Amino acid sequence: MTQIPATVVTYPDGDVTGTATVVHAVLLADGRTGIVLDRTPFHPVDTAWPDQPADVGVLRSSSGEFPVVTALTGGVREGDLVIGSDLPVRMGAEGWTFVVVHVVDAPAPAVGESVEAYVDPELRAALSAGHTACHLASLALDAALADAWTKEVPTDAAGHPAFDMLAIQTSRITAYGSTDVYRIGKSLRRKGFDPAALDDLRAVEERANATLASWAETPGAIGIHRGDRTLAGRRTWRCELPEGAVELPCGGTHRTSLAEVEAITVALASAEVPGGVELTMTTGIRLAH
Ligand SMILES: [Zn+2]
């Protein structure tokens, strides 16, 4: 039985480099090797909610240079490491220790070796921008649909009925953007959402874009706040909007200020699906230079 410590993660602070020690190495089914470090700047894709893709980059040690092709979430229980889609529990589940698994081609650095970790900074910057845009777009969409509800429902971080939280199916962060898919079916209608609110989709889109344009003009700080520094530690995204600060749970990476944002825009599309409507929001962000 091996003791694998919970990975300390430094990406929530914006780190893209760091020194670490290899604490575990495992041969993967595809012939590659999974490397666990005591601490890492690499953001791994989450298994249960894979919104932000993994960082890529390189590990360097005295024995060579090892490209990291992806970074996965691993869970350790009773000494056994379970990785990626094999992981049967959500991040933070009781009885499990969570680690970042850096996937490298053979040969791999050895357990006990010291490595320098380098995340591809351009991809990280693009995904951080995309993630910030994703959160702001979802808040703007909630605001644009605030009048579509006939009953009391849970509210979002800005105090609007939480359409995003209640209807979201998948959220995917991309380079300088995101794609969010929502489902408006029987259960959302029962909660009091009137689908007629989506009849004039261009009007909803315009309201969301007007809100996003007003936010992009402000200098509000954006940050990730946390206590526990391990992968499974709870982290909160906080953004100073003109209406007040908003906070929501987030495991990803972000820009550090609205001042960096030139523009965020969303496009909405809807399609009939069995039992309801699927709404797709495609978000793009342009940074100020
Ligand atoms: Zn997030």
Side-chain angles (χ1 to χ4, degrees):
M1 196 156 114
T2 39
Q3 282 294 340
I4 307 173
T7 309
V8 169
V9 293
T10 57
Y11 56 81
D13 306 328
D15 288 10
V16 288
T17 62
T19 305
T21 303
V22 179
V23 295
H24 189 72
V26 60
L27 190 61
L28 304 174
D30 63 1
R32 288 172 159 147
T33 303
I35 298 291
V36 180
L37 305 173
D38 59 343
R39 54 194 288 120
T40 188
F42 278 82
H43 171 266
V45 63
D46 188 69
T47 301
W49 186 251
D51 56 348
Q52 182 173 334
D55 284 326
V56 298
V58 67
L59 302 178
R60 282 186 200 129
S61 78
S62 56
S63 64
E65 185 166 308
F66 311 94
V68 176
V69 297
T70 189
L72 304 172
T73 299
V76 183
R77 191 175 55 174
E78 289 164 4
D80 289 326
L81 172 59
V82 186
I83 301 168
S85 54
D86 293 335
L87 191 62
V89 291
R90 285 187 161 264
M91 178 64 65
E94 190 112 354
W96 291 76
T97 300
F98 292 88
V99 297
V100 178
V101 179
H102 309 73
V103 178
V104 303
D105 284 317
V111 173
E113 247 186 287
S114 174
V115 297
E116 296 292 329
Y118 296 92
V119 169
D120 178 338
E122 281 173 29
L123 177 64
R124 165 67 70 75
L127 294 174
S128 294
H131 205 145
T132 295
C134 180
H135 283 202
L136 292 170
S138 67
L139 291 168
L141 179 63
D142 285 352
L145 291 172
D147 294 335
W149 298 86
T150 58
K151 295 181 192 169
E152 287 274 309
V153 285
T155 52
D156 68 14
H160 296 115
F163 174 82
D164 177 82
M165 186 187 81
L166 296 168
I168 191 88
Q169 298 298 299
T170 60
S171 180
R172 292 289 181 275
I173 314 295
T174 54
Y176 299 102
S178 62
T179 303
D180 293 277
V181 178
Y182 302 95
R183 190 185 158 81
I184 297 96
K186 209 206 267 176
S187 90
L188 203 70
R189 290 198 298 272
R190 226 187 281 121
K191 287 190 179 94
F193 184 79
D194 178 4
L198 301 175
D199 286 351
D200 188 353
L201 218 47
R202 293 291 80 80
V204 178
E205 198 178 272
E206 271 169 34
R207 288 198 297 276
N209 281 327
T211 301
L212 289 164
S214 74
W215 290 344
E217 282 173 4
T218 63
I222 301 169
I224 297 289
H225 298 264
R226 59 176 175 162
D228 184 340
R229 293 178 60 80
T230 64
L231 175 59
R234 285 181 155 275
R235 293 185 283 283
T236 304
W237 177 81
R238 183 183 159 93
C239 179
E240 310 278 351
L241 293 176
E243 298 89 337
V246 291
E247 288 189 358
L248 49 98
C250 181
T253 66
H254 286 271
R255 307 303 300 196
T256 57
S257 168
L258 285 173
E260 295 176 54
V261 177
E262 175 80 34
I264 299 171
T265 49
V266 298
L268 298 174
S270 68
E272 301 266 332
V273 292
V277 170
E278 194 176 83
L279 179 71
T280 300
M281 178 168 70
T282 309
T283 304
I285 179 170
R286 212 167 58 238
L287 296 180
H289 292 291

